[in-house]
Amino acid sequence: MNKQNLKIAVQKSGRLSEDSIDLLKTCGISFNNGSGKLKSVAQDFPLEIFFLRDDDIPEYVADGVADIGMVGENVLAEAEKDVEMCERLGFGKCRLALAVPKSFEYQSIKNLSGKRVATSYPKVLGRFLEKNDVTAEIHTISGSVEIAPSIGLADAVCDLVSSGSTLFTNNLREVEVVMTSEAVLIQRKNLAADLHTILEKLVFRIRAVKAARQNKYILLNAPNEKLEEIINILPGIKSPTVMPLAETGWSSVHSVINENDFWEIVESLKNKGAEGILVLSIDQMIS
Ligand code: ATP
Ligand code: ZN
């Protein structure tokens, strides 16, 4: 009998496309994603990939056209579809924020009462305003929300922001965060057992890639009299590996460190007398 493939929907072209495809490939899944392709079958993993507009992904997954999908939490929150989130993916980080023209005298969200707010996320914004007891006019537009105030279409906007540079160039000031978002893996309800097994394998690999991305492999040479102090700086998964060097009085120390502590740790290692420090990226990390 022909084994079934798990079907995954990813964004066809946009901010999430490259990272979604890159994540699958780093999970050891090879497929052709040449431009214009709508669908591709992986060669070495039972996965079929559909390339779609991100807004359509929650619905395709809810309807079972795709079994799983990679999509921004913001799109998921707006779609209100009956799907389950199974894993955060660590990319596509942004926030949905309210912004007003620099000339707008803004003290609190109450200042938006009776104002016109342009957004592509009317449902998420509607819930946020309701929660804050504010009644405003929501104008739904599908793109270039940031220009709405300058053309007189709205008094404020609710749009996705990462660095804030788009707001800045449009003379807007961020005043409230409505929600924070990153790309997530979603699945449809009642996934058949054989497909669920494939999903578990995929999630296992995704977790290994995510863990690897958050960590670095570090190697260094340490004078033996400083070894104890140096080891104390390095956390390691269990504890650092220590091996004698050919040169007497020196050891080679290997460990794994978190990317966030990276510069601080390297600095203290140098101060303690470590030499020949090498830092390598990790492809996969299985705990
Ligand atoms: P599509 O053609 O698929 O509908 P789109 O134009 O709606 O694409 P993109 O701009 O490609 O969407 O953004 C896709 C997702 O990327 C967003 O929904 C959001 O989750 C995420 N994202 C991350 N950073 C940003 C940002 N600075 N601005 C907009 N979206 C961002
Ligand atoms: Zn979209």
Side-chain angles (χ1 to χ4, degrees):
M1 198 185 84
N2 241 352
K3 277 247 173 200
Q4 259 204 309
N5 285 329
L6 184 73
K7 300 192 199 94
I8 186 170
V10 300
Q11 192 187 20
K12 183 172 168 53
S13 90
R15 291 175 193 262
L16 301 180
S17 312
E18 207 181 302
D19 287 335
S20 305
I21 290 165
D22 182 64
L23 178 59
L24 291 174
K25 296 204 166 170
T26 316
C27 285
I29 301 168
S30 14
F31 56 92
N32 179 347
N33 58 295
S35 65
K37 260 188 165 296
L38 297 177
K39 195 180 121 168
S40 188
V41 180
Q43 287 132 33
D44 40 15
F45 195 84
L47 193 71
E48 236 166 277
I49 304 105
F50 294 124
F51 303 97
L52 300 167
R53 282 202 57 196
D54 68 343
D55 315 67
D56 298 333
I57 292 176
E59 186 167 345
Y60 275 103
V61 173
D63 294 349
V65 176
D67 302 304
I68 60 172
M70 288 182 180
V71 72
E73 285 175 287
N74 53 304
V75 169
L76 189 61
E78 185 65 25
E80 295 181 321
K81 296 288 171 192
D82 198 13
V83 296
E84 284 167 22
M85 183 172 93
C86 40
E87 187 72 20
R88 304 187 150 270
L89 298 175
F91 61 83
K93 289 189 178 163
C94 58
R95 55 194 185 278
L96 186 63
L98 277 163
V100 296
K102 283 180 187 148
S103 55
F104 190 124
E105 282 178 30
Y106 187 95
Q107 266 101 39
S108 84
I109 187 147
K110 303 284 179 222
N111 297 130
L112 292 179
S113 279
K115 301 286 186 210
R116 299 163 301 161
V117 188
T119 189
S120 306
Y121 297 89
K123 288 185 191 155
V124 179
L125 174 61
R127 289 195 293 265
F128 182 79
L129 292 177
E130 199 182 315
K131 198 178 73 191
N132 284 284
D133 236 349
V134 169
T135 310
E137 248 181 68
I138 300 177
H139 286 250
T140 309
I141 48 179
S142 57
S144 304
V145 171
E146 68 282 358
I147 63 164
S150 62
I151 59 171
L153 192 70
D155 306 300
V157 301
C158 172
D159 202 6
L160 294 171
V161 185
S162 45
S163 67
S165 59
T166 309
L167 292 183
F168 186 80
T169 47
N170 285 284
N171 262 316
L172 297 168
R173 180 166 64 96
E174 183 175 339
V175 289
E176 307 282 345
V177 174
V178 174
M179 76 175 285
T180 55
S181 176
E182 72 179 273
V184 292
L185 190 69
I186 54 170
Q187 70 169 98
R188 72 181 172 100
K189 294 235 161 126
N190 308 318
L191 200 57
D194 53 342
L195 294 178
H196 202 267
T197 310
I198 304 172
L199 175 59
E200 276 173 4
K201 278 190 192 165
L202 178 65
V203 170
F204 177 81
R205 292 189 189 189
I206 288 175
R207 286 188 181 150
V209 172
K210 269 171 63 188
R213 284 177 178 173
Q214 284 158 8
N215 290 281
K216 300 266 181 208
Y217 192 80
I218 185 164
L219 301 96
L220 58 94
N221 296 332
N224 284 348
E225 68 272 15
K226 296 279 186 183
L227 207 50
E228 212 178 303
E229 280 178 79
I230 283 176
I231 288 171
N232 281 337
I233 303 172
L234 292 167
I237 300 177
K238 272 210 164 69
S239 76
T241 308
V242 180
M243 286 175 288
L245 284 188
E247 189 179 332
T248 48
W250 283 80
S251 297
S252 164
V253 180
H254 300 201
S255 189
V256 171
I257 56 176
N258 192 289
E259 202 188 33
N260 298 330
D261 316 326
F262 168 72
W263 286 112
E264 229 168 278
I265 290 185
V266 167
E267 228 159 79
S268 8
L269 288 170
K270 275 189 68 170
N271 291 340
K272 296 283 178 211
E275 287 182 13
I277 304 173
L278 288 181
V279 181
L280 312 174
S281 299
I282 303 170
D283 283 338
Q284 270 87 23
M285 197 166 135
I286 322 289
S287 55

